[in-house]
Amino acid sequence: MIDERSRKKLMVEHSRLLNAADVDGLLGLYADEVTFEDPVGADQRSGRDALRTHFEEFVRAGVRETLGDPVAGQDGKHVLAPASAVMDYLPKGPGFAERGWITAPDDPTGKRITWHYVLMLRTGKGGAITELKALWGRSDLAVTD
């Protein structure tokens, strides 16, 4: 278990590394046996290789995350924060449209996807992240200019 302040700092560092497009740095925060769901309700995936692919897709889309104030659980493991993000419609937008999460624009040129979510991280031994969950629904996504 790590203290509340350390878990909150971990959440902020996670967002900083994502915005810096530092996939290796992000993966350095995670345990080898990590599990993740983004969004919650999608298939749960596991392992650093799958997580690398997940983060690389968002980095290719130019994701920019704005993190709200993290809140740490009293269990010594969890930290959550509200967040919003913006990314280019391409390359991930068509997959979102196929799943029915957004309506595909007639012309994706210059379009962006914005969304609001809650990010949850669970830590394990030594403070490594063992689980990531992003909670959001269809009404939390929008295609913008």
Side-chain angles (χ1 to χ4, degrees):
M1 291 193 304
I2 60 173
D3 65 63
E4 289 182 17
R5 173 175 266 144
S6 296
R7 281 181 279 135
K8 289 178 179 183
K9 285 182 180 179
L10 179 66
M11 178 70 80
V12 171
E13 179 66 359
H14 188 277
S15 183
R16 186 191 73 74
L17 291 168
L18 179 63
N19 287 334
D22 185 350
V23 174
D24 289 329
L26 270 169
L27 291 173
L29 302 177
Y30 284 86
D32 291 337
E33 67 281 359
V34 62
T35 60
F36 65 101
E37 276 183 274
D38 183 5
V40 169
D43 293 334
Q44 185 178 43
R45 293 170 279 172
S46 62
R48 282 177 146 193
D49 289 341
L51 191 59
R52 174 181 291 282
T53 299
H54 180 72
F55 286 143
E56 286 175 345
E57 290 172 351
F58 282 100
V59 165
R60 273 194 301 278
V63 71
R64 295 297 301 168
E65 181 177 72
T66 302
L67 191 68
D69 292 333
V71 176
Q74 293 184 22
D75 62 358
K77 297 177 184 178
H78 290 88
V79 59
L80 292 92
S84 60
V86 177
M87 69 178 177
D88 297 335
Y89 181 81
L90 296 173
K92 291 191 69 68
F96 282 24
E98 286 174 16
R99 290 178 182 92
W101 295 343
I102 57 174
T103 301
D106 293 332
D107 180 5
T109 306
K111 299 293 185 194
R112 312 270 287 158
I113 297 174
T114 61
W115 75 104
H116 305 281
Y117 50 98
V118 174
L119 186 64
M120 185 281 298
L121 304 177
R122 181 172 50 98
T123 59
K125 291 182 180 179
I129 301 168
T130 59
E131 183 179 21
L132 171 145
K133 289 188 176 186
L135 293 87
W136 53 269
R138 292 178 181 139
S139 63
D140 300 313
L141 292 172
V143 177
T144 59
D145 291 323

